[in-house]
Amino acid sequence: MKPVIPFVSNADGAERQAWRTALQEVLKDIADVKTFEELTPDECEAAKVAIVANPDPAEVAALKNLIWVQSLWAGVERLVGELPEDGPLIVRLTDPQLADTMAEAVLAWTLYLHRDMPRYAQQQSRKMWKSHQLKLPEERTVGLLGMGNLGIKSAQRLKANGFPVTGWSRNKKSIAGIETSHGPEGLKSLLAQSDIVVVLMPLTAETRGMIGAETFAHFKIGASLINFARGPIIDTPALLSTLDSGHLSHAVLDVFDQEPLPEEHPYWVHDKVTVLPHISAPTITSTAAKIVAGNIEQYLKTGAIPAAVDRTRGY
Ligand code: NAP
């Protein structure tokens, strides 16, 4: 008999069923995928691994013998916050397609800033015909905060398009063709040279609120910010005052403290803010399902669990 793999998610009915169907299709030869409410008590007892997407922590806790959970998302701060430290290991989604999608988004919105699109959109709204001097990509340094799966691919894509790139990470890193740094001094030096700063770090105890007034003070005058990681990494009042003072020229924000962004939030109407509805790199069902199936198949055959989140560092 094939093992049953629980799929635990609080997504709405249609989205949950779409995922369940995709997961069942890729796992059909080796396992049966069932949503939490379809599980029998024996199946709950027997489950060693579950696939999760914003699960209700009580449902995960009801699977008492779980060894690990496979997340369908790359960002796992919610699981890290909600599942007990002695609970199942957390394996996040690492999908090369997701990294390509993010790299495309980073390039697209870097070009949006590089080619002055916010300014030309505002001019159009005032029927103003006025050109501004064009800079070359070579004259615009992009600094990436976070050089993991998404940061490295984004850096390479930017570099291939002519932008000088510099990357910052928690630990020292060496990446062919990309200048890198780490630590507080490394951050200051990246900020001092970057015309566009892109945030691609996970939300952890260390990164929450990391980009606040003190950090903004080290940004180049007139620099722009892109946040494609998580909203709470940025201190909202500090960002608003840095934009209002003219120190920063524009912010492209895809992620927020509260999503959907509340209607009364000042970002919606701020002329130096571009609001995106968390779309820079959505999980792609077809490729993610295959990665998840590969991880689960390997576990069922060999007992090997993919690299899990380090609970002490939070990612
Ligand atoms: P990853 O592979 O874990 O890489 C994270 C990078 O951030 C690493 O380079 C890490 O440094 C660095 N980092 C972590 N904590 C740091 C700190 N305190 N100071 C400096 N650098 C720090 O993660 P990923 O797959 O690239 O994903 C990054 C984040 O993107 C996810 O956590 C998620 O929140 C977000 N995301 C957003 C979307 C979207 O649609 N907006 C989609 C997918 C993912 P080390 O290299 O030294 O470990």
Side-chain angles (χ1 to χ4, degrees):
M1 217 170 66
K2 286 188 272 186
V4 169
I5 308 291
F7 172 47
V8 190
S9 167
N10 69 1
D12 67 37
E15 192 188 344
R16 199 156 74 234
Q17 280 312 320
W19 269 111
R20 182 187 181 281
T21 306
L23 292 165
Q24 182 58 71
E25 177 55 31
V26 286
L27 282 163
K28 64 178 186 283
D29 294 335
I30 51 166
D32 285 325
V33 178
K34 290 192 177 182
T35 57
F36 181 78
E37 55 278 13
E38 293 170 334
L39 298 170
T40 65
D42 281 352
E43 288 164 349
C44 286
E45 187 80 18
K48 298 272 191 293
V49 52
I51 303 167
V52 298
N54 294 344
D56 175 345
E59 293 183 350
V60 178
L63 306 173
K64 292 197 167 51
N65 294 312
L66 273 189
I67 296 172
W68 63 291
V69 294
Q70 168 72 62
S71 169
L72 290 182
W73 316 141
V76 289
E77 71 283 351
R78 192 165 156 181
L79 284 175
V80 169
E82 291 182 348
L83 300 189
E85 280 193 32
D86 60 354
L89 297 171
I90 299 169
V91 173
R92 66 193 195 95
L93 178 70
T94 44
D95 180 354
Q97 178 56 58
L98 187 80
D100 280 338
T101 304
M102 181 58 93
E104 179 184 79
V106 168
L107 176 62
W109 296 98
T110 295
L111 289 171
Y112 166 83
L113 295 167
H114 169 63
R115 295 304 301 254
D116 255 350
M117 290 193 212
R119 172 143 68 166
Y120 287 117
Q122 274 176 27
Q123 287 189 188
Q124 182 176 351
S125 72
R126 283 182 271 137
K127 300 183 181 167
M128 182 195 280
W129 183 276
K130 185 168 189 241
S131 63
H132 302 276
Q133 202 185 349
L134 184 63
K135 273 195 172 188
L136 298 173
E138 289 76 357
E139 297 171 301
R140 193 96 71 179
T141 297
V142 184
L144 288 153
L145 305 185
M147 289 298 280
N149 293 320
L150 308 184
I152 291 175
K153 278 255 176 97
S154 300
Q156 289 163 341
R157 186 77 74 96
L158 289 165
K159 190 137 199 279
N161 277 268
F163 293 99
V165 179
T166 167
W168 186 70
S169 52
R170 192 162 172 270
N171 305 292
K172 193 169 172 358
K173 272 216 144 94
S174 124
I175 301 159
I178 312 277
E179 189 195 318
T180 54
S181 63
H182 68 290
E185 290 311 310
L187 177 60
K188 281 186 205 159
S189 128
L190 176 145
L191 297 175
Q193 53 180 308
S194 299
D195 300 288
I196 298 172
V197 174
V198 184
V199 185
L200 280 175
M201 293 181 292
L203 176 60
T204 65
E206 264 181 45
T207 63
R208 183 177 292 274
M210 185 190 268
I211 305 179
E214 221 175 276
T215 309
F216 282 128
H218 295 285
F219 275 60
K220 250 174 128 167
I221 305 282
S224 297
L225 173 74
I226 298 176
N227 185 10
F228 283 170
R230 287 293 182 263
I233 295 173
I234 289 177
D235 175 340
T236 296
L239 173 57
L240 285 168
S241 69
T242 311
L243 287 165
D244 292 340
S245 72
H247 187 143
L248 272 196
S249 56
H250 201 85
V252 177
L253 305 174
D254 184 46
V255 286
F256 303 91
D257 293 351
Q258 192 187 335
E259 296 179 10
L261 185 64
E263 218 171 277
E264 65 284 0
H265 200 287
Y267 285 154
W268 279 118
V269 292
H270 200 293
D271 60 0
K272 291 181 177 173
V273 175
T274 298
V275 170
L276 301 172
H278 202 138
I279 46 75
S280 52
T283 296
I284 294 157
T285 312
S286 55
T287 59
K290 282 189 197 138
I291 305 269
V292 167
N295 287 347
I296 289 177
E297 182 169 7
Q298 192 191 24
Y299 172 69
L300 294 177
K301 283 187 178 153
T302 68
I305 301 172
V309 169
D310 176 338
R311 297 296 293 257
T312 50
R313 61 175 201 177
Y315 69 102

